[in-house]
Amino acid sequence: MKIVSELKDLSLLNNTEVYGWIVNILDLSCYYDELYTLEEIKDIVVVSHQNNQKVYVNAKKIIHEQDIDKVTNLVKELELIGVDYYIYGDLAFYEIAESLKITDKLIYQVATYMTNKYDVNVMLKDNNSVSEQIDVAPELYSVPGKEKIFVNIKIILFVLVWMSLTNSVN
């Protein structure tokens, strides 16, 4: 089993038992215990990659129209640093990633969206955006508990297709 954990303290960074670290940064993250600066994330990426670990950025903040340029520039800087993946929940972040041609680094967290039949129907109409994400992070599976829950997009896609075929979504 591959474990991805939120990095709550820099002293944990050399723990090589985890597959990767989730890091939080002010203009992208919400629901966090610890925020890191761009410089700290740069150091986290260096150490994590030396330990053969991945770095995931919590990018689940709802992006307002006036923040799009700031977020886009921040993501460009994170790309230069070498971040591996972005965990997002706002479709505006997907649009930013698409404009930067980094949709292969996205992991959709279902906690915010896809909670009703209307969201599911919208996603079914735009299968390209769903199918682009299928093989992004096969190491993430649904995990019960009070902490953040992530799920493999293949499971979501299977459920969506099954629901559409059985007319469960109207």
Side-chain angles (χ1 to χ4, degrees):
M1 176 193 289
K2 296 178 180 177
I3 298 172
V4 176
S5 177
E6 181 177 354
L7 184 60
K8 296 182 179 185
D9 187 321
L10 286 173
S11 67
L12 300 172
L13 193 54
N14 284 314
N15 177 350
T16 57
E17 294 177 24
V18 299
Y19 179 76
W21 296 107
I22 300 169
V23 295
N24 305 293
I25 189 165
L26 183 61
D27 291 319
L28 284 180
S29 304
C30 60
Y31 310 116
Y32 51 78
D33 291 319
E34 186 68 35
L35 280 175
Y36 295 103
T37 65
L38 205 52
E39 272 309 303
E40 288 172 318
I41 292 176
K42 183 178 182 178
D43 294 338
I44 291 166
V45 168
V46 168
V47 173
S48 296
H49 288 175
Q50 287 171 348
N51 292 333
N52 294 317
Q53 296 169 317
K54 305 291 183 190
V55 176
Y56 302 75
V57 171
N58 168 356
K60 294 182 291 181
K61 193 173 201 175
I62 301 297
I63 300 168
H64 298 280
E65 196 170 330
Q66 67 268 17
D67 296 328
I68 290 175
D69 290 338
K70 181 166 58 168
V71 169
T72 301
N73 291 329
L74 178 58
V75 174
K76 286 178 182 177
E77 291 183 62
L78 290 166
E79 280 300 291
L80 291 173
I81 289 172
V83 164
D84 298 294
Y85 296 106
Y86 300 88
I87 301 167
Y88 77 104
D90 186 358
L91 296 178
F93 189 84
Y94 178 86
E95 295 295 325
I96 290 169
E98 188 173 49
S99 74
L100 298 174
K101 300 189 182 341
I102 59 166
T103 56
D104 58 326
K105 293 184 165 193
L106 297 182
I107 300 167
Y108 186 66
Q109 187 195 20
V110 296
T112 305
Y113 292 101
M114 307 265 288
T115 57
N116 60 66
K117 66 181 181 181
Y118 305 106
D119 291 335
V120 172
N121 281 326
V122 167
M123 292 301 285
L124 285 173
K125 287 179 186 173
D126 187 15
N127 281 330
N128 290 335
S129 63
V130 174
S131 64
E132 286 174 13
Q133 300 174 54
I134 290 176
D135 291 319
V136 170
E139 70 275 4
L140 296 180
Y141 296 95
S142 179
V143 179
K146 65 177 188 168
E147 293 292 321
K148 298 167 187 61
I149 298 173
F150 302 96
V151 68
N152 183 315
I153 197 71
K154 288 180 183 176
I155 296 168
I156 296 170
L157 187 60
F158 171 78
V159 170
L160 291 176
V161 170
W162 177 80
M163 289 172 70
S164 69
L165 293 174
T166 61
N167 293 323
S168 297
V169 179
N170 296 317

PDB file of all heavy atoms in Angstrom, residues 60-78:
ATOM      1  N   LYS A  60      -7.267  23.040  -3.305  1.00  0.00           N
ATOM      2  CA  LYS A  60      -8.715  22.864  -3.225  1.00  0.00           C
ATOM      3  C   LYS A  60      -9.483  24.141  -2.896  1.00  0.00           C
ATOM      4  O   LYS A  60     -10.684  24.119  -2.735  1.00  0.00           O
ATOM      5  CB  LYS A  60      -9.052  21.785  -2.214  1.00  0.00           C
ATOM      6  CG  LYS A  60      -8.563  20.424  -2.672  1.00  0.00           C
ATOM      7  CD  LYS A  60      -8.931  19.364  -1.695  1.00  0.00           C
ATOM      8  CE  LYS A  60      -8.121  19.572  -0.452  1.00  0.00           C
ATOM      9  NZ  LYS A  60      -8.334  18.616   0.582  1.00  0.00           N
ATOM     10  N   LYS A  61      -8.779  25.258  -2.824  1.00  0.00           N
ATOM     11  CA  LYS A  61      -9.450  26.515  -2.536  1.00  0.00           C
ATOM     12  C   LYS A  61     -10.331  26.917  -3.723  1.00  0.00           C
ATOM     13  O   LYS A  61      -9.962  26.730  -4.875  1.00  0.00           O
ATOM     14  CB  LYS A  61      -8.395  27.592  -2.282  1.00  0.00           C
ATOM     15  CG  LYS A  61      -8.910  28.855  -1.684  1.00  0.00           C
ATOM     16  CD  LYS A  61      -7.735  29.765  -1.336  1.00  0.00           C
ATOM     17  CE  LYS A  61      -8.144  30.781  -0.310  1.00  0.00           C
ATOM     18  NZ  LYS A  61      -6.997  31.578   0.125  1.00  0.00           N
ATOM     19  N   ILE A  62     -11.499  27.472  -3.429  1.00  0.00           N
ATOM     20  CA  ILE A  62     -12.368  27.980  -4.485  1.00  0.00           C
ATOM     21  C   ILE A  62     -11.710  29.247  -5.036  1.00  0.00           C
ATOM     22  O   ILE A  62     -11.376  30.161  -4.286  1.00  0.00           O
ATOM     23  CB  ILE A  62     -13.781  28.291  -3.955  1.00  0.00           C
ATOM     24  CG1 ILE A  62     -14.417  27.036  -3.352  1.00  0.00           C
ATOM     25  CG2 ILE A  62     -14.648  28.900  -5.045  1.00  0.00           C
ATOM     26  CD1 ILE A  62     -14.636  25.898  -4.311  1.00  0.00           C
ATOM     27  N   ILE A  63     -11.513  29.280  -6.342  1.00  0.00           N
ATOM     28  CA  ILE A  63     -10.793  30.387  -6.973  1.00  0.00           C
ATOM     29  C   ILE A  63     -11.802  31.414  -7.481  1.00  0.00           C
ATOM     30  O   ILE A  63     -12.676  31.090  -8.281  1.00  0.00           O
ATOM     31  CB  ILE A  63      -9.920  29.871  -8.129  1.00  0.00           C
ATOM     32  CG1 ILE A  63      -8.908  28.852  -7.591  1.00  0.00           C
ATOM     33  CG2 ILE A  63      -9.209  31.026  -8.828  1.00  0.00           C
ATOM     34  CD1 ILE A  63      -8.192  28.074  -8.659  1.00  0.00           C
ATOM     35  N   HIS A  64     -11.654  32.639  -7.017  1.00  0.00           N
ATOM     36  CA  HIS A  64     -12.521  33.724  -7.464  1.00  0.00           C
ATOM     37  C   HIS A  64     -11.925  34.362  -8.715  1.00  0.00           C
ATOM     38  O   HIS A  64     -10.718  34.305  -8.949  1.00  0.00           O
ATOM     39  CB  HIS A  64     -12.681  34.761  -6.355  1.00  0.00           C
ATOM     40  CG  HIS A  64     -13.317  34.185  -5.131  1.00  0.00           C
ATOM     41  ND1 HIS A  64     -14.675  33.989  -5.016  1.00  0.00           N
ATOM     42  CD2 HIS A  64     -12.773  33.723  -3.976  1.00  0.00           C
ATOM     43  CE1 HIS A  64     -14.948  33.447  -3.851  1.00  0.00           C
ATOM     44  NE2 HIS A  64     -13.823  33.262  -3.193  1.00  0.00           N
ATOM     45  N   GLU A  65     -12.766  34.960  -9.512  1.00  0.00           N
ATOM     46  CA  GLU A  65     -12.344  35.513 -10.798  1.00  0.00           C
ATOM     47  C   GLU A  65     -11.159  36.468 -10.660  1.00  0.00           C
ATOM     48  O   GLU A  65     -10.223  36.427 -11.457  1.00  0.00           O
ATOM     49  CB  GLU A  65     -13.533  36.223 -11.450  1.00  0.00           C
ATOM     50  CG  GLU A  65     -13.327  36.491 -12.908  1.00  0.00           C
ATOM     51  CD  GLU A  65     -14.607  36.970 -13.570  1.00  0.00           C
ATOM     52  OE1 GLU A  65     -15.708  36.592 -13.139  1.00  0.00           O
ATOM     53  OE2 GLU A  65     -14.478  37.727 -14.536  1.00  0.00           O
ATOM     54  N   GLN A  66     -11.173  37.291  -9.639  1.00  0.00           N
ATOM     55  CA  GLN A  66     -10.089  38.264  -9.461  1.00  0.00           C
ATOM     56  C   GLN A  66      -8.766  37.611  -9.054  1.00  0.00           C
ATOM     57  O   GLN A  66      -7.721  38.254  -9.105  1.00  0.00           O
ATOM     58  CB  GLN A  66     -10.472  39.361  -8.464  1.00  0.00           C
ATOM     59  CG  GLN A  66     -10.641  38.887  -7.031  1.00  0.00           C
ATOM     60  CD  GLN A  66     -12.064  38.482  -6.687  1.00  0.00           C
ATOM     61  OE1 GLN A  66     -12.891  38.249  -7.573  1.00  0.00           O
ATOM     62  NE2 GLN A  66     -12.370  38.393  -5.404  1.00  0.00           N
ATOM     63  N   ASP A  67      -8.794  36.335  -8.690  1.00  0.00           N
ATOM     64  CA  ASP A  67      -7.578  35.635  -8.258  1.00  0.00           C
ATOM     65  C   ASP A  67      -6.965  34.744  -9.338  1.00  0.00           C
ATOM     66  O   ASP A  67      -5.929  34.122  -9.109  1.00  0.00           O
ATOM     67  CB  ASP A  67      -7.882  34.774  -7.029  1.00  0.00           C
ATOM     68  CG  ASP A  67      -8.300  35.615  -5.839  1.00  0.00           C
ATOM     69  OD1 ASP A  67      -7.809  36.753  -5.713  1.00  0.00           O
ATOM     70  OD2 ASP A  67      -9.122  35.131  -5.037  1.00  0.00           O
ATOM     71  N   ILE A  68      -7.585  34.667 -10.502  1.00  0.00           N
ATOM     72  CA  ILE A  68      -7.122  33.727 -11.535  1.00  0.00           C
ATOM     73  C   ILE A  68      -5.680  33.996 -11.950  1.00  0.00           C
ATOM     74  O   ILE A  68      -4.871  33.069 -12.033  1.00  0.00           O
ATOM     75  CB  ILE A  68      -8.078  33.723 -12.742  1.00  0.00           C
ATOM     76  CG1 ILE A  68      -9.396  33.062 -12.333  1.00  0.00           C
ATOM     77  CG2 ILE A  68      -7.459  33.013 -13.941  1.00  0.00           C
ATOM     78  CD1 ILE A  68     -10.478  33.099 -13.373  1.00  0.00           C
ATOM     79  N   ASP A  69      -5.320  35.254 -12.195  1.00  0.00           N
ATOM     80  CA  ASP A  69      -3.938  35.565 -12.608  1.00  0.00           C
ATOM     81  C   ASP A  69      -2.939  35.225 -11.511  1.00  0.00           C
ATOM     82  O   ASP A  69      -1.879  34.659 -11.788  1.00  0.00           O
ATOM     83  CB  ASP A  69      -3.804  37.034 -13.006  1.00  0.00           C
ATOM     84  CG  ASP A  69      -4.516  37.352 -14.316  1.00  0.00           C
ATOM     85  OD1 ASP A  69      -4.737  36.419 -15.116  1.00  0.00           O
ATOM     86  OD2 ASP A  69      -4.858  38.534 -14.528  1.00  0.00           O
ATOM     87  N   LYS A  70      -3.281  35.552 -10.261  1.00  0.00           N
ATOM     88  CA  LYS A  70      -2.376  35.261  -9.144  1.00  0.00           C
ATOM     89  C   LYS A  70      -2.173  33.753  -8.989  1.00  0.00           C
ATOM     90  O   LYS A  70      -1.057  33.276  -8.826  1.00  0.00           O
ATOM     91  CB  LYS A  70      -2.933  35.873  -7.850  1.00  0.00           C
ATOM     92  CG  LYS A  70      -2.035  35.631  -6.645  1.00  0.00           C
ATOM     93  CD  LYS A  70      -2.368  36.477  -5.428  1.00  0.00           C
ATOM     94  CE  LYS A  70      -3.724  36.347  -4.890  1.00  0.00           C
ATOM     95  NZ  LYS A  70      -3.893  36.972  -3.554  1.00  0.00           N
ATOM     96  N   VAL A  71      -3.261  32.991  -9.087  1.00  0.00           N
ATOM     97  CA  VAL A  71      -3.170  31.532  -8.962  1.00  0.00           C
ATOM     98  C   VAL A  71      -2.387  30.949 -10.136  1.00  0.00           C
ATOM     99  O   VAL A  71      -1.546  30.065  -9.955  1.00  0.00           O
ATOM    100  CB  VAL A  71      -4.577  30.903  -8.846  1.00  0.00           C
ATOM    101  CG1 VAL A  71      -4.520  29.387  -8.985  1.00  0.00           C
ATOM    102  CG2 VAL A  71      -5.227  31.299  -7.524  1.00  0.00           C
ATOM    103  N   THR A  72      -2.643  31.437 -11.336  1.00  0.00           N
ATOM    104  CA  THR A  72      -1.917  30.955 -12.516  1.00  0.00           C
ATOM    105  C   THR A  72      -0.418  31.167 -12.345  1.00  0.00           C
ATOM    106  O   THR A  72       0.386  30.260 -12.611  1.00  0.00           O
ATOM    107  CB  THR A  72      -2.417  31.673 -13.793  1.00  0.00           C
ATOM    108  OG1 THR A  72      -3.815  31.424 -13.939  1.00  0.00           O
ATOM    109  CG2 THR A  72      -1.680  31.176 -15.026  1.00  0.00           C
ATOM    110  N   ASN A  73      -0.017  32.348 -11.896  1.00  0.00           N
ATOM    111  CA  ASN A  73       1.409  32.634 -11.679  1.00  0.00           C
ATOM    112  C   ASN A  73       2.003  31.755 -10.584  1.00  0.00           C
ATOM    113  O   ASN A  73       3.142  31.290 -10.697  1.00  0.00           O
ATOM    114  CB  ASN A  73       1.624  34.114 -11.373  1.00  0.00           C
ATOM    115  CG  ASN A  73       1.361  34.979 -12.585  1.00  0.00           C
ATOM    116  OD1 ASN A  73       1.566  34.561 -13.720  1.00  0.00           O
ATOM    117  ND2 ASN A  73       0.890  36.188 -12.350  1.00  0.00           N
ATOM    118  N   LEU A  74       1.235  31.503  -9.534  1.00  0.00           N
ATOM    119  CA  LEU A  74       1.708  30.626  -8.461  1.00  0.00           C
ATOM    120  C   LEU A  74       1.920  29.206  -8.971  1.00  0.00           C
ATOM    121  O   LEU A  74       2.942  28.573  -8.669  1.00  0.00           O
ATOM    122  CB  LEU A  74       0.724  30.631  -7.292  1.00  0.00           C
ATOM    123  CG  LEU A  74       1.051  29.721  -6.121  1.00  0.00           C
ATOM    124  CD1 LEU A  74       2.428  30.049  -5.535  1.00  0.00           C
ATOM    125  CD2 LEU A  74      -0.019  29.832  -5.048  1.00  0.00           C
ATOM    126  N   VAL A  75       0.988  28.706  -9.766  1.00  0.00           N
ATOM    127  CA  VAL A  75       1.125  27.355 -10.316  1.00  0.00           C
ATOM    128  C   VAL A  75       2.343  27.282 -11.242  1.00  0.00           C
ATOM    129  O   VAL A  75       3.081  26.296 -11.227  1.00  0.00           O
ATOM    130  CB  VAL A  75      -0.172  26.901 -11.030  1.00  0.00           C
ATOM    131  CG1 VAL A  75       0.029  25.566 -11.729  1.00  0.00           C
ATOM    132  CG2 VAL A  75      -1.316  26.814 -10.022  1.00  0.00           C
ATOM    133  N   LYS A  76       2.584  28.319 -12.019  1.00  0.00           N
ATOM    134  CA  LYS A  76       3.784  28.359 -12.869  1.00  0.00           C
ATOM    135  C   LYS A  76       5.045  28.240 -12.009  1.00  0.00           C
ATOM    136  O   LYS A  76       5.983  27.513 -12.366  1.00  0.00           O
ATOM    137  CB  LYS A  76       3.836  29.652 -13.680  1.00  0.00           C
ATOM    138  CG  LYS A  76       2.853  29.709 -14.829  1.00  0.00           C
ATOM    139  CD  LYS A  76       2.933  31.052 -15.542  1.00  0.00           C
ATOM    140  CE  LYS A  76       1.926  31.160 -16.658  1.00  0.00           C
ATOM    141  NZ  LYS A  76       1.960  32.501 -17.303  1.00  0.00           N
ATOM    142  N   GLU A  77       5.070  28.940 -10.879  1.00  0.00           N
ATOM    143  CA  GLU A  77       6.231  28.857  -9.980  1.00  0.00           C
ATOM    144  C   GLU A  77       6.356  27.458  -9.371  1.00  0.00           C
ATOM    145  O   GLU A  77       7.466  26.930  -9.255  1.00  0.00           O
ATOM    146  CB  GLU A  77       6.125  29.915  -8.881  1.00  0.00           C
ATOM    147  CG  GLU A  77       6.293  31.331  -9.395  1.00  0.00           C
ATOM    148  CD  GLU A  77       6.265  32.357  -8.288  1.00  0.00           C
ATOM    149  OE1 GLU A  77       7.155  32.300  -7.420  1.00  0.00           O
ATOM    150  OE2 GLU A  77       5.351  33.209  -8.294  1.00  0.00           O
ATOM    151  N   LEU A  78       5.238  26.870  -8.992  1.00  0.00           N
ATOM    152  CA  LEU A  78       5.262  25.508  -8.440  1.00  0.00           C
ATOM    153  C   LEU A  78       5.751  24.507  -9.484  1.00  0.00           C
ATOM    154  O   LEU A  78       6.436  23.543  -9.154  1.00  0.00           O
ATOM    155  CB  LEU A  78       3.878  25.125  -7.913  1.00  0.00           C
ATOM    156  CG  LEU A  78       3.438  25.861  -6.644  1.00  0.00           C
ATOM    157  CD1 LEU A  78       1.949  25.675  -6.402  1.00  0.00           C
ATOM    158  CD2 LEU A  78       4.250  25.412  -5.449  1.00  0.00           C
TER     159      LEU A  78
END
